[in-house]
Amino acid sequence: MRKLLGTFSLVLLLQNLPLSAARALEPTEELTSEAIQQVITANLMTNSPDGNFYPERMINRAELAAILVKAFKLDQREAVKQQEAKILPDVPRSHWAFNDIQAVLKTDIMRGYRGNLFFPNQRVTRAEGLAIFAQAYGVFQFGDDTVKELLQPHPDAALIPVWARRAIATVVAEGFINTDAQNNISPLRPMTRGDMAYLLSQYLQRQQPQPEMPIVPGVTRSPESL
């Protein structure tokens, strides 16, 4: 079903490219504040103990794991309940994100490194953060030509690592991504809390029930619309 929705979204994107490009522009300070409030209200991210959000702060792998578990309820998936705990020398049971990291590993949303290491404190680039988010959301199986077409409007698309291109094309097609004034994705720049708040806010809006198409008297709905 998600792949079908993704194809539908792509059709709308290609038919209305100027609108999608406008949506992709870097969010204003007001929009950023609104996004932050949305994710805090949804309990997907929280303020620091001093009451500030600090949108410019960078996100590490442990923080990303915790956010994804909340956003996609990964801890409720069967793979998490059935598999035994994975041994991670750098993430003991006493680690604050132990359960969240176990969840992203068991669901294959995130992966460890050689030696069964997770590197929980390692900063995440935008390419990594966007690609991992798309992995949890569901990467659309676009063909290479479609991926190229989706990423082409972004001047720095060539900087996107090969392994992340299809995943980032997914978040672009869904309108989740924020870019700078020149429409650059900045895939190699560290992902910030503000970046993640914007991404999550767009995702939350997509989850809200859409209004049903009104039925006009005397007009018969086609089978496709039922």
Side-chain angles (χ1 to χ4, degrees):
M1 181 65 179
R2 172 146 296 162
K3 293 180 182 178
L4 293 176
L5 290 175
T7 302
F8 178 69
S9 298
L10 176 61
V11 172
L12 292 180
L13 178 72
L14 297 179
Q15 289 180 342
N16 199 12
L17 188 56
L19 175 59
S20 65
R23 290 177 60 195
L25 293 179
E26 186 176 66
T28 62
E29 183 175 346
E30 179 180 355
L31 182 56
T32 300
S33 298
E34 181 180 346
I36 291 172
Q37 189 55 53
Q38 286 179 345
V39 298
I40 290 178
T41 300
N43 197 33
L44 299 184
M45 299 179 73
T46 60
N47 284 325
S48 296
D50 63 5
N52 294 313
F53 187 80
Y54 296 110
E56 74 284 355
R57 287 186 177 175
M58 295 176 286
I59 287 180
N60 61 37
R61 283 169 56 81
E63 292 167 336
L64 178 59
I67 291 170
L68 292 178
V69 169
K70 290 180 180 179
F72 297 98
K73 298 180 174 58
L74 300 181
D75 56 336
Q76 298 179 21
R77 297 189 182 183
E78 288 301 316
V80 177
K81 300 176 182 178
Q82 295 177 1
Q83 295 182 30
E84 295 183 358
K86 297 182 180 294
I87 304 301
L88 300 169
D90 59 345
V91 186
R93 289 184 177 274
S94 58
H95 191 283
W96 69 269
F98 175 82
N99 290 330
D100 295 325
I101 291 173
Q102 289 289 321
V104 295
L105 289 174
K106 291 178 181 179
T107 54
D108 205 29
I109 301 303
M110 296 178 70
R111 297 180 180 179
Y113 294 89
R114 292 181 180 178
N116 290 328
L117 296 173
F118 188 80
F119 294 111
N121 298 321
Q122 179 173 293
R123 302 301 182 186
V124 177
T125 65
R126 278 173 56 84
E128 292 169 334
L130 293 169
I132 293 171
F133 180 91
Q135 183 69 20
Y137 180 72
V139 178
F140 300 151
Q141 297 307 304
F142 295 136
D144 292 341
D145 290 342
T146 301
V147 170
K148 182 178 180 181
E149 190 170 3
L150 283 166
L151 299 179
Q152 188 274 332
H154 304 281
D156 61 347
L159 297 178
I160 301 174
V162 174
W163 53 264
R165 289 178 64 81
R166 184 170 283 106
I168 291 181
T170 296
V171 296
V172 168
E174 292 294 85
F176 293 163
I177 197 170
N178 66 319
T179 62
D180 65 17
Q182 287 72 45
N183 209 21
N184 287 305
I185 293 175
S186 305
L188 305 183
R189 180 172 66 77
M191 172 164 270
T192 66
R193 286 170 55 81
D195 291 334
M196 180 55 68
Y198 182 84
L199 178 62
L200 290 170
S201 70
Q202 299 305 300
Y203 167 70
L204 287 173
Q205 291 180 31
R206 178 59 60 86
Q207 306 313 303
Q208 294 176 357
Q210 300 298 314
E212 294 185 2
M213 182 180 297
I215 299 177
V216 180
V219 177
T220 302
R221 299 172 65 186
S222 64
E224 290 81 3
S225 65
L226 297 178

